[in-house]
Amino acid sequence: MTILVTGARGQIGRAVISSLHAQGLPVRAASAKPADLDLPAGVRAVELGDDPETLSTALEDVKQVFLYAKADLADAFVTAAQQAGVEHVVLLSSSAVNDPAATSNPIGAMHLAVEKSLAASSLTTTVLRPGGFDSNAFGWIKAVAAGEPIEHAYPEASLAMIHPLDIADIAVAALTGTELRGRTVSLTGPEAISFRAQIGHLSEAIGREIPIVQISRDQAEAQLSRTMPPYIVDALLTIWAITSERPETPADTTETLLGVPARTFEQWARENAAAFTAA
């Protein structure tokens, strides 16, 4: 009955592990660097990196898996999981798969490849397709902590951002119940919220104004390209341009799937205010 959680260093993976462990369920944490994990007492850590050889050990006696998408290991994972007797996989995919041009979008193509590998297998699979995360706002920490303005090409772009803990709650529900098993669900937060409004909530959370300055698309492209590959930069700027005119429509949330109110960006900002004020 052991549940394997991959990507155990990630914010969602950590939350899934903590929730399953709190319920008294046998859970195992997998990471490329298991020694770096900070786990609840009694949770075993195993290595699961780019080497397919690590799969057999990680999957020993495992019946369910919470899986981060990794296209280059998808086929090897499917083979190893079937051999190990895994019955159910909850895949953390991406809303990029919903794009009609997903195969030409590297983010969509990667997640789609993993979905297809699982769909062709005998494994029962629940697919979670979240969009933008509230925690993407962590990218503003440096500017906010330094008292500098947030520069953005599309401050009015409105996305239905989702709180990472909402994703974790839905994943846990899929692993522990039957209502979501085998389904594919697109996930969002409860409402579309603009970047300007997000910054407003952060301002309230830290107790001081955070200025916002609109810049050109070219300027934004140059800034984002310092830390992101070109295909991600182009995808972000394109969706921001679109949602400046047409706000994203919310999809499924913890409210529609679990009957629990979805966490808001305002809540996320309050919870994480200290990260924006640290020296």
Side-chain angles (χ1 to χ4, degrees):
M1 175 54 195
T2 298
I3 301 171
L4 178 70
V5 177
T6 73
R9 295 175 66 196
Q11 57 189 333
I12 298 170
R14 294 196 310 271
V16 170
I17 290 167
S18 295
S19 181
L20 292 172
H21 180 68
Q23 295 180 49
L25 297 171
V27 58
R28 183 180 303 161
S31 171
K33 297 181 179 179
D36 293 345
L37 296 176
D38 181 15
L39 299 171
V43 175
R44 176 188 167 197
V46 293
E47 181 182 0
L48 185 57
D50 294 330
D51 184 355
E53 295 296 321
T54 60
L55 283 165
S56 59
T57 299
L59 290 167
E60 184 178 359
D61 298 324
V62 167
K63 293 303 180 185
Q64 296 195 84
V65 179
F66 175 68
L67 183 67
Y68 273 66
K70 203 168 176 56
D72 54 351
L73 278 181
D75 290 341
F77 169 82
V78 165
T79 298
Q82 291 177 143
Q83 291 175 345
V86 171
E87 299 172 354
H88 179 215
V89 176
V90 176
L91 174 67
L92 181 61
S93 186
S94 167
S95 64
V97 170
N98 297 325
D99 189 332
T103 55
S104 61
N105 175 335
I107 299 175
M110 177 191 76
H111 289 90
L112 187 60
V114 179
E115 288 192 19
K116 286 182 175 179
S117 291
L118 288 165
S121 75
S122 61
L123 301 166
T124 299
T125 303
T126 301
V127 180
L128 308 181
R129 294 176 175 171
F133 294 4
D134 288 343
S135 52
N136 290 351
F138 278 140
W140 297 328
I141 284 178
K142 184 177 179 181
V144 174
E148 298 172 353
I150 302 297
E151 297 183 335
H152 207 290
Y154 299 100
E156 308 308 331
S158 298
L159 298 167
M161 312 293 283
I162 185 169
H163 195 301
L165 293 184
D166 279 4
I167 302 172
D169 286 348
I170 293 166
V172 169
L175 291 164
T176 58
T178 59
E179 183 69 24
L180 295 176
R181 183 169 293 214
R183 291 177 58 183
T184 295
V185 287
S186 295
L187 305 177
T188 66
E191 62 181 350
I193 180 170
S194 70
F195 289 111
R196 190 181 299 279
Q198 290 179 46
I199 292 168
H201 286 310
L202 280 173
S203 294
E204 293 175 4
I206 67 173
R208 63 176 171 82
E209 182 180 359
I210 302 171
I212 181 168
V213 175
Q214 187 166 5
I215 58 176
S216 70
R217 182 180 177 122
D218 287 345
Q219 288 173 310
E221 182 176 0
Q223 289 184 5
L224 295 171
S225 295
R226 297 170 191 162
T227 56
M228 301 178 186
Y231 67 86
I232 292 182
V233 172
D234 183 66
L236 286 176
L237 292 172
T238 297
I239 192 65
W240 292 345
I242 291 171
T243 55
S244 290
E245 301 296 328
R246 298 193 305 275
E248 182 181 14
T249 301
D252 275 313
T253 67
T254 56
E255 180 73 52
T256 62
L257 296 175
L258 309 180
V260 177
R263 296 173 176 91
T264 64
F265 183 85
E266 182 179 9
Q267 179 178 345
W268 182 91
R270 292 195 306 268
E271 293 167 351
N272 293 277
F276 293 85
T277 55

